[in-house]
Amino acid sequence: MPLKTMLINGPSGGGKSTVARLIVRDVLRQPVHLVRLRAAHDGHTNSVERLAPAGEGSDWASRHRVTYTAERIFETLPDGLRAVRHIEPAGLAVVEADGDPAVRHAFPYDYRVFVMAAPVGVEDVFREARDAAVALQQVMLDTAAFASEIFGLFDADSLDDSRGVHHRAARIPSLQPEIPRHIECLDVAETQVQQFLDSPIGAEIAARIQLQPEYHALVEADVVLINTRPGDRSAALKECIRRIEKLLSRIRHDARRHSVLFWGDVNDDTNPLRATLICRLKNLIEG
């Protein structure tokens, strides 16, 4: 049985470490390996560091810190997982990271959990309708913007011309309207756009564009968790829950990998949703 990997990611301060401990203590009830990712502040360090044991009774069988650059994370993260595999070839490694898109695409994780704090406003999670429409229009016309918006990994201002592709100077309202730049455009008819949006991948792209960039990963997650404060019942939270549920229902058609949305205080043992969350995570990992 090979080493399994679980990515727990989301915006800073959402409670990712709390969820990681929940998985160890209440889902598996045995130590697992922790790999914590940290973007290099100097722009060039790529390293794997094994941290000192956390002490007797620790949740972690081992702890590693992986410092990475976006350009080389595809090499550095596997190096960190090989270090874990050297300790235990058939265990579980929890990879904890913030919302860097490079992390999401750096490795074919077995499981993905997205964790976020309760939003102050709906606009923290979702773009305004006008901004989403502008972004969708830009993505449909600009191949470089498509790659940047959907994958977060590429943004080039000039690419080679080919049939059906042309370059033009444009002002993009959602970016810096005062600075024209050359964008690569595709000759796409309106009916082609509609057919594309009606397809499964089109629906997923439209869903991503509704979200603020650091929330794109919730579209890919097996479990989405909104970690609320005790007694939080704000209108913004309720509206975000409604919209995320609707968004996930549009793009998840495979019941075996269906994203499940949970919200509540993870540390509240009396919250009935907590038991449901634990059951979902247990079935995900052991099923």
Side-chain angles (χ1 to χ4, degrees), residues 37 46 56 129-131 147 162 191 193 199 212 239 256:
L37 300 188
N46 288 271
E56 187 177 352
R130 176 182 175 277
D131 293 338
S162 59
T191 54
V193 172
S199 69
Q212 299 288 3
E239 178 62 12
R256 294 169 302 172

Side-chain angles (χ1 to χ4, degrees), residues 9 35 86 88 101 105 173 183 196 266 286:
N9 71 331
V35 178
H86 182 73
E88 184 180 359
H105 304 291
I183 64 174
F196 176 71
V266 175
E286 298 182 352

Side-chain angles (χ1 to χ4, degrees), residues 152-207:
L153 300 176
F154 175 68
D155 187 12
D157 286 338
S158 64
L159 299 172
D160 292 337
D161 286 311
S162 59
R163 186 175 182 179
V165 179
H166 62 279
H167 293 82
R168 62 179 173 84
R171 297 179 186 274
I172 307 300
S174 63
L175 300 176
Q176 293 175 290
E178 72 283 0
I179 303 176
R181 71 182 183 93
H182 287 275
I183 64 174
E184 181 179 73
C185 300
L186 299 177
D187 293 324
V188 182
E190 186 174 344
T191 54
Q192 291 174 301
V193 172
Q194 189 57 53
Q195 289 172 358
F196 176 71
L197 292 178
D198 288 340
S199 69
I201 190 173
E204 183 163 339
I205 289 168

Side-chain angles (χ1 to χ4, degrees), residues 216-279:
H216 282 181
L218 72 81
V219 173
E220 306 157 357
D222 299 298
V223 175
V224 178
L225 173 63
I226 305 177
N227 190 19
T228 67
R229 298 174 293 275
D232 193 344
R233 295 292 185 272
S234 68
L237 173 61
K238 292 178 181 178
E239 178 62 12
C240 277
I241 290 171
R242 185 190 71 81
R243 293 180 64 173
I244 291 173
E245 284 181 325
K246 182 178 179 180
L247 182 151
L248 293 177
S249 68
R250 284 195 62 200
I251 62 175
R252 291 301 189 211
H253 306 292
D254 185 347
R256 294 169 302 172
R257 300 289 289 178
H258 185 68
S259 288
V260 178
L261 173 65
F262 295 90
W263 61 94
D265 182 359
V266 175
N267 293 316
D268 182 5
D269 294 337
T270 64
N271 184 351
L273 283 175
R274 187 177 187 274
T276 308
L277 170 63
I278 290 172
C279 182

Side-chain angles (χ1 to χ4, degrees), residues 12 36-47 65-73 76 96-103:
S12 298
R36 186 167 282 133
L37 300 188
R38 183 181 67 178
H41 296 302
D42 57 14
H44 62 79
T45 297
N46 288 271
S47 64
R65 179 166 55 220
V66 174
T67 303
Y68 70 92
T69 61
E71 295 79 12
R72 291 189 55 198
I73 188 173
T76 313
E96 184 182 327
D98 290 335
D100 186 347
V103 171

